[in-house]
Amino acid sequence: MNKILNLLLPRFLTEEVALHDNGDHLVIVCPMTEVKPGERFHAVATMRVFNLFGRTLLPRMVSGPWPWPSIPDIEPSELPPCPFCEGPPSITVQSFELRGPVYRQAFYGCAGVDIDAYVFCHACGAQGPQYENVIFHEVDYLSAEVEAARLWIERSAKHRDLYDGSAADGLTIYPRRGNRA
């Protein structure tokens, strides 16, 4: 459908592009939609062009260039098992707009994708706290996974002080001696 529109409908297009530094200046490599996960370039810019019968005319940089988003060094952390069934945890990133999972990719469009990232138990389906954000690049996706993992790890110790206080008062033992008939 886009090929037909490109041939028949003259129009302005705006998209982000990957740029390569050849020593003298930055050169457009490809649109960000065609960058594969793990590929790295020198910069990103937003270009506006006039498309006439599939030909690009009047290219103009609207914003940028910005340095290529770098993937931070992420310290590995072990996810604790499910607090209910001791099942294995699994991280997922979902989008209600797309009605399903969001997969890791280099670019998610100029408008981004509204996501919920969380850890769930693969055995019983228990779900940890959600991390909500709009992601634009692969770096944002990885940050969402890290934040979901952090929330899962912290959720198990979140109210530990309340449990310890109840245990010290003997309120976690059942049946309680005072409750017997």
Side-chain angles (χ1 to χ4, degrees):
M1 183 67 175
N2 279 342
K3 290 181 181 182
I4 295 171
L5 282 176
N6 286 340
L7 291 175
L8 301 178
L9 186 63
R11 59 194 167 124
F12 280 100
L13 301 173
T14 303
E15 64 183 341
E16 287 194 0
V17 294
L19 303 171
H20 174 72
D21 186 0
N22 70 359
D24 292 339
H25 57 283
L26 295 171
V27 178
I28 297 173
V29 177
C30 63
M32 288 295 291
T33 54
E34 295 180 14
V35 175
K36 295 174 181 57
E39 280 188 307
R40 300 280 172 256
F41 295 97
H42 293 100
V44 178
T46 303
M47 300 291 292
R48 185 174 178 117
V49 297
F50 185 72
N51 184 4
L52 180 64
F53 303 117
R55 300 282 185 214
T56 301
L57 304 173
L58 309 171
R60 186 174 133 233
M61 188 178 301
V62 178
S63 59
W66 308 284
W68 188 263
S70 61
I71 295 177
D73 289 332
I74 299 171
E75 284 292 321
S77 57
E78 185 172 341
L79 293 175
C82 174
F84 302 108
C85 73
E86 295 290 313
S90 182
I91 295 178
T92 186
V93 179
Q94 299 280 327
S95 172
F96 290 109
E97 292 173 0
L98 303 176
R99 299 174 189 235
V102 176
Y103 300 103
R104 181 178 170 182
Q105 58 190 48
F107 183 63
Y108 294 92
C110 293
V113 175
D114 191 10
I115 57 102
D116 293 326
Y118 55 89
V119 177
F120 71 96
C121 173
H122 203 276
C124 73
Q127 179 178 319
Q130 289 185 347
Y131 172 73
E132 299 177 20
N133 201 358
V134 177
I135 59 174
F136 296 92
H137 299 281
E138 182 178 18
V139 175
D140 301 331
Y141 180 90
L142 295 173
S143 297
E145 284 188 329
V146 168
E147 188 62 21
R150 184 189 66 77
L151 291 171
W152 175 264
I153 292 167
E154 290 179 358
R155 64 94 186 93
S156 61
K158 188 175 184 178
H159 299 294
R160 183 62 189 211
D161 59 329
L162 296 174
Y163 176 83
D164 291 341
S166 295
D169 294 339
L171 299 176
T172 58
I173 299 173
Y174 288 93
R176 294 184 188 149
R177 293 183 186 173
N179 290 347
R180 292 184 184 171

